Amino acid sequence: MDRTRSRVRTGLLAVFAALALATAGVMTTPDARAADAGPTALPAHALVGYLHSSFANGSGYTRLADVPDSWDVIDLAFGEPTSPTSGDIRFSLCPRSECPNVESEAEFKAAIKAKQAAGKKVLISIGGQNGQVQLTTAAARDTFVSSVSAIIDTYGLDGLDIDFEGHSLSLDADDTDFKNPKTPQIVHLISAVKTLKAKYGAGFTLTMAPETFFVQLGHQYYGTGKWGGQDPRAGAYLPVIHALRDELTLLHVQDYNSGPIMGLDGQYHSMGGADFHIAMTDMLLTGFPVAGDANNVFPALPPEKVAIGMPASTNAGNGHVPTAEVNKTLDCLTKGTDCGSYKPHGTWPALRGLMTWSINWDRHNNEEFSKNFDAYFG
């Protein structure tokens, strides 16, 4: 997610088209409940949204106290590093010159407490399109832990959202096993998050918002590939998700600003309708071979740890779908009805919910996304 009106990622789309050498393997369908679900304090069906707290754009600034009650998890966007490799994350409220209606620090902290008292989770989201974070050294890892801790402690937050994009994560040429990563920036990120989880305990909320390029694309392409030449970022989130699946509260992949992705049916799926969301989510809930290798399967995540990322409006990003398509997606995955051409490998009533970029864009669009969510789940 970024700070612009329309979050178009032409560079990544071009890379999708350039990756043409790998081949898909035989599909396997492990049980979606094989992974550990673990306890969670979220409601059975949760709505996650990003709040533009540190910047302004065409959607306008929304005070935290004015965020509607529909939102169960509020991600404060964004904490960003002082430099890509420093690990030193900083967060501050939008300058008054950009956001004339910005609240004071005291009002902001009071709003956080009020949201938490109402049962909401308020997290600091690290990264975004502009916040490239590369923990290439142990020193950067330690600085990341201390600086993120400082933000959490200062504002009394519930946890962390990892929204690493762009060049934050990539795989070294000899790093081919997602179950045993050795690329420093991957290893240090895993270590840093485990340290934060251990520090704050079981109540620490951890979410991730990777793009399809870094997750589902790994079904076909992982890193530079056996013969080299592929984008080293392809599938680069997989080792992070896998290593942190016990600590993870919620994964909500961004099903937008994406190129075509091959699903478990061996067909390419493109944005624009329920089919894309169904196919992409089915991969997470079923598991999938990595780099086409049927002997190297990324294990399924439990549905309680999965939400679907969608743009709140046409202004928010490419891949927006009407509410009717949102509901088709939910019907198919949670009830097994109205699935269309793609048939998922199971039905998951416990699918956690939806994520959107963003709360601000939803308010700009008369709260269509959140009101539809509320109406669907009652």
Side-chain angles (χ1 to χ4, degrees), residues 220-261:
Q220 282 186 281
Y221 311 101
Y222 188 71
T224 59
K226 294 181 180 179
W227 300 280
Q230 294 175 186
D231 192 311
R233 297 171 296 168
Y237 247 98
L238 294 180
V240 178
I241 299 167
H242 186 67
L244 296 171
R245 61 175 56 227
D246 289 341
E247 291 80 5
L248 182 67
T249 306
L250 198 55
L251 175 72
H252 33 67
V253 175
Q254 302 175 34
D255 285 0
Y256 43 94
N257 296 320
S258 171
I261 302 286

Side-chain angles (χ1 to χ4, degrees), residues 131-182:
Q132 304 296 295
V133 183
Q134 300 168 352
L135 304 182
T136 55
T137 65
R141 174 200 63 199
D142 295 343
T143 300
F144 181 88
V145 171
S146 62
S147 61
V148 171
S149 295
I151 295 171
I152 291 172
D153 295 343
T154 296
Y155 293 98
L157 302 177
D158 295 292
L160 170 67
D161 172 68
I162 301 173
D163 184 17
F164 285 15
E165 302 181 14
H167 291 271
S168 290
L169 295 180
S170 63
L171 295 159
D172 288 348
D174 62 345
D175 195 345
T176 59
D177 182 3
F178 77 89
K179 297 175 183 176
N180 297 286
K182 51 187 176 180

Side-chain angles (χ1 to χ4, degrees), residues 48 50 75 161 207-210 250-254 307-309 355:
V48 182
Y50 288 79
D75 293 323
D161 172 68
T207 64
M208 300 184 194
L250 198 55
L251 175 72
H252 33 67
V253 175
Q254 302 175 34
I308 308 170
M355 172 276 278

Side-chain angles (χ1 to χ4, degrees), residues 325-340:
E325 294 299 301
V326 175
N327 294 346
K328 283 182 182 179
T329 301
L330 294 173
D331 284 344
C332 178
L333 292 170
T334 67
K335 303 174 184 177
T337 61
D338 209 9
C339 289

Side-chain angles (χ1 to χ4, degrees), residues 12-242:
L12 288 185
L13 296 182
V15 173
F16 273 98
L19 294 171
L21 295 177
T23 57
V26 177
M27 307 302 164
T28 60
T29 57
D31 188 288
R33 295 184 178 270
D36 292 333
T40 177
L42 296 178
H45 298 293
L47 183 62
V48 182
Y50 288 79
L51 183 68
H52 311 174
S53 299
S54 63
F55 59 94
N57 67 5
S59 63
Y61 185 83
T62 296
R63 289 183 170 217
L64 179 56
D66 295 332
V67 171
D69 289 339
S70 299
W71 303 95
D72 300 298
V73 180
I74 302 167
D75 293 323
L76 306 178
F78 289 107
E80 298 182 5
T82 55
S83 71
T85 58
S86 70
D88 189 2
I89 308 300
R90 304 295 177 88
F91 172 78
S92 59
L93 289 176
C94 183
R96 193 166 296 277
S97 58
E98 288 184 61
C99 307
N101 61 322
V102 65
E103 63 268 67
S104 67
E105 285 275 330
E107 290 171 329
F108 189 69
K109 291 177 180 178
I112 291 171
K113 289 182 179 179
K115 290 297 181 185
Q116 292 168 331
K120 313 302 182 183
K121 300 294 184 183
V122 185
L123 315 181
I124 180 64
S125 180
I126 306 297
Q129 185 182 29
N130 295 340
Q132 304 296 295
V133 183
Q134 300 168 352
L135 304 182
T136 55
T137 65
R141 174 200 63 199
D142 295 343
T143 300
F144 181 88
V145 171
S146 62
S147 61
V148 171
S149 295
I151 295 171
I152 291 172
D153 295 343
T154 296
Y155 293 98
L157 302 177
D158 295 292
L160 170 67
D161 172 68
I162 301 173
D163 184 17
F164 285 15
E165 302 181 14
H167 291 271
S168 290
L169 295 180
S170 63
L171 295 159
D172 288 348
D174 62 345
D175 195 345
T176 59
D177 182 3
F178 77 89
K179 297 175 183 176
N180 297 286
K182 51 187 176 180
T183 302
Q185 64 196 89
I186 302 288
V187 173
H188 291 322
L189 175 60
I190 294 167
S191 173
V193 175
K194 282 183 175 289
T195 299
L196 287 167
K197 178 73 173 183
K199 176 179 180 178
Y200 291 102
F204 186 76
T205 301
L206 173 64
T207 64
M208 300 184 194
E211 297 164 293
T212 58
F213 189 93
F214 298 95
V215 184
Q216 288 94 336
L217 185 67
H219 173 42
Q220 282 186 281
Y221 311 101
Y222 188 71
T224 59
K226 294 181 180 179
W227 300 280
Q230 294 175 186
D231 192 311
R233 297 171 296 168
Y237 247 98
L238 294 180
V240 178
I241 299 167
H242 186 67

